[in-house]
Amino acid sequence: MTKVLSKATSSLNGVIQVPGDKSISHRSVMFGAIAKGKTTVTGFLPGDDCLSTIACFRELGVTITQNGDQVEVEGKGLDGLKEARNVLDVGNSGTTMRLILGILANTPFHSTLIGDSSIAKRPMQRVTKPLQSMGAKIDGREDGNFTPLSIRGGQTKGIHYQSPVASAQVKSSILLAGLQAEGTTSVTEPEKSRDHTERMLQAFGIEVKVDGLTASLEGGQTLKGAHIEVPGDISSAAFFLVAGAIVPGSRIELKKVGMNPTRTGIIDVLQNMGASITFANVNEDAVEPYADIIIEASQLKGTEVSGDLIPRLIDEIPIIALAATQAEGDTIIKDAAELKVKETNRIDTVVNELTALGVKIEATDDGMIIRGKSTLTGGKVSSHGDHRIGMMLAIASCLAEGDVEIENGEAVTVSYPNFYEHLASLQR
């Protein structure tokens, strides 16, 4: 589907509630499935990726009822999953693939996992290798690096894994395998990645120890059903945070957005660039803290995005690049080679698509350099099937001098099913 967007208004104004956090929604279903007893979830994100997680656990014998953003999971316990009659299809969801491998590492049966064409290109050895070292039997293309993947679990043993990358997916997969492993399982990262798994495991009754950059747990613990309240996804809110900052005359209020400190790098970057951001109704006592965020049109200046900030905003870099096009001076993004193994190679994709809209931007080995301030033209661009690229290009249309035609514009439904409706509501 090609989505054609015009600059319909001179400003963006209004109040919206972004969909539930994708990372937390995935985990609420997964942890509920392997817990004892019922888990209820409110604020669940009914996007394509999270629905893939539900579908996979239904295949594994778990009863899950989903009605919009309300979900009930009848937990089977770690030892209650059943061998699937069909392959487990994760769709476009790398989170589903990597975390479910950790859960299946101890199951006494065989599973085969596949995904879409994007998943087929994404490296899986970052989780399959440590899981194999724990005792799981995993095979696939190029020695288990690419799908389809085959896994037969067994009795695993705890390991201490020194991760070469700061990745919540890698850390989570190993810790999930450690739940039934013999002894202690721990993961040490080069920088701190998202800690949704550690927080939620504790909400399900698991003792997780966090010491600096190391997270660890003892095998043999039992998860107990819980109630999970999912806040708005800050990675989705990021698109409207940037829109509010760069479209003249704008003021946007985003309700109940997750404010987990491992995810708020986008806030830090926008504040460093001079954006006008305020907060209200802050709740820091919840399992996942949240707040209302108000963003207003601002005069931005270039900045550098690098180092230990990168894991806290890796998914927001496409929209940060767009913000940089409207800033005075250069913005440098580096230490972000992880972008090459996302839904697309997001370094090349961001650079190519923004160049097509008249932006002065160049790729580097581990990031990009954006020359501000740019005038955006209209033109034909593509999401390349990547939801975050699609949303970034849609926000770019709010500034473009001509129409922006986005090929594969429907990709945004992966994480934000009503994105275009929310954008239109701010333009009235």
Side-chain angles (χ1 to χ4, degrees):
M1 177 189 83
T2 298
K3 186 76 174 178
V4 181
L5 298 172
S6 303
K7 185 165 69 173
T9 183
S10 59
S11 64
L12 301 172
N13 291 275
V15 180
I16 57 176
Q17 170 70 64
V18 299
D21 188 284
K22 187 154 73 83
S23 297
I24 300 170
S25 294
H26 278 303
R27 286 162 175 78
S28 67
V29 170
M30 292 182 180
F31 297 6
I34 60 176
K36 295 285 188 181
K38 180 184 290 188
T39 290
T40 57
V41 185
T42 58
F44 177 82
L45 168 64
D48 295 347
D49 275 11
C50 296
L51 295 179
S52 291
T53 289
I54 288 180
C56 286
F57 279 91
R58 282 175 173 162
E59 285 285 351
L60 292 165
V62 181
T63 299
I64 303 173
T65 304
Q66 182 249 330
N67 182 13
D69 67 355
Q70 309 289 312
V71 177
E72 284 191 359
V73 185
E74 300 290 342
K76 292 285 188 179
L78 277 161
D79 56 355
L81 300 179
K82 304 296 183 184
E83 187 170 76
R85 292 180 178 272
N86 303 298
V87 297
L88 301 174
D89 188 348
V90 306
N92 186 247
S93 178
T95 300
T96 307
M97 174 66 77
R98 292 184 175 124
L99 269 61
I100 205 171
L101 283 167
I103 290 171
L104 294 173
N106 294 284
T107 54
F109 52 75
H110 173 266
S111 300
T112 299
L113 298 95
I114 62 170
D116 66 7
S117 58
S118 171
I119 287 293
K121 300 173 185 175
R122 298 178 70 176
M124 295 298 159
Q125 276 187 341
R126 54 178 51 188
V127 295
T128 60
K129 285 295 185 184
L131 293 177
Q132 286 168 334
S133 72
M134 295 176 76
K137 298 178 178 64
I138 306 174
D139 202 359
R141 289 188 300 120
E142 294 189 20
D143 192 26
N145 196 26
F146 298 102
T147 60
L149 293 177
S150 171
I151 179 169
R152 183 176 291 278
Q155 183 53 53
T156 56
K157 294 185 177 181
I159 60 169
H160 172 67
Y161 186 64
Q162 190 81 36
S163 180
V165 293
S167 166
Q169 293 180 3
V170 172
K171 174 176 62 177
S172 299
S173 184
I174 296 167
L175 290 176
L176 287 169
L179 287 170
Q180 282 191 301
E182 179 184 329
T184 304
T185 297
S186 60
V187 182
T188 300
E189 302 181 284
E191 291 96 26
K192 189 172 179 63
S193 67
R194 301 176 181 185
D195 67 355
H196 299 305
T197 290
E198 296 96 304
R199 288 172 179 262
M200 193 176 294
L201 282 175
Q202 290 168 345
F204 277 86
I206 299 298
E207 183 180 353
V208 182
K209 296 179 181 178
V210 179
D211 181 10
L213 299 175
T214 301
S216 62
L217 54 77
E218 294 294 325
Q221 300 185 66
T222 300
L223 290 82
K224 300 179 178 66
H227 173 70
I228 302 296
E229 184 179 10
V230 183
D233 195 326
I234 194 166
S235 293
S236 295
F239 296 93
F240 291 112
L241 289 173
V242 168
I246 66 176
V247 178
S250 296
R251 184 185 187 277
I252 302 173
E253 182 174 353
L254 301 163
K255 306 295 286 186
K256 199 176 179 181
V257 177
M259 292 292 290
N260 183 308
T262 64
R263 295 284 301 282
T264 52
I266 179 66
I267 302 290
D268 295 349
V269 168
L270 286 174
Q271 289 178 327
N272 289 342
M273 296 178 81
S276 173
I277 303 177
T278 55
F279 305 93
N281 301 318
V282 178
N283 185 339
E284 296 181 345
D285 297 327
V287 173
E288 290 284 351
Y290 59 83
D292 299 342
I293 309 176
I294 300 95
I295 183 83
E296 298 182 79
S298 311
Q299 296 295 319
L300 302 182
K301 61 180 184 297
T303 190
E304 180 176 305
V305 183
S306 61
D308 59 8
L309 190 57
I310 294 296
R312 298 175 55 226
L313 48 65
I314 191 70
D315 285 336
E316 289 76 75
I317 286 178
I319 195 64
I320 289 171
L322 180 63
T325 71
Q326 302 306 301
E328 294 293 341
D330 294 349
T331 294
I332 300 171
I333 299 172
K334 62 183 183 180
D335 303 323
E338 182 73 6
L339 288 172
K340 295 179 179 179
V341 293
K342 290 292 185 177
E343 284 82 340
T344 58
N345 179 333
R346 284 186 179 156
I347 293 176
D348 290 346
T349 305
V350 168
V351 169
N352 292 339
E353 299 309 312
L354 285 179
T355 297
L357 294 177
V359 171
K360 296 176 182 176
I361 181 173
E362 57 195 76
T364 62
D365 287 343
D366 63 349
M368 59 196 79
I369 301 171
I370 306 98
R371 312 288 183 188
K373 183 174 183 181
S374 293
T375 298
L376 274 62
T377 62
K380 294 183 178 180
V381 290
S382 176
S383 75
H384 298 270
D386 187 328
H387 54 127
R388 303 200 193 279
I389 301 297
M391 287 186 279
M392 180 270 287
L393 294 170
I395 299 301
S397 76
C398 297
L399 291 170
E401 294 182 336
D403 290 349
V404 174
E405 298 181 34
I406 307 174
E407 184 181 352
N408 292 334
E410 73 279 6
V412 303
T413 62
V414 163
S415 61
Y416 204 148
N418 52 352
F419 172 78
Y420 291 119
E421 289 86 346
H422 279 181
L423 179 58
S425 73
L426 296 172
Q427 294 174 324
R428 292 177 185 148

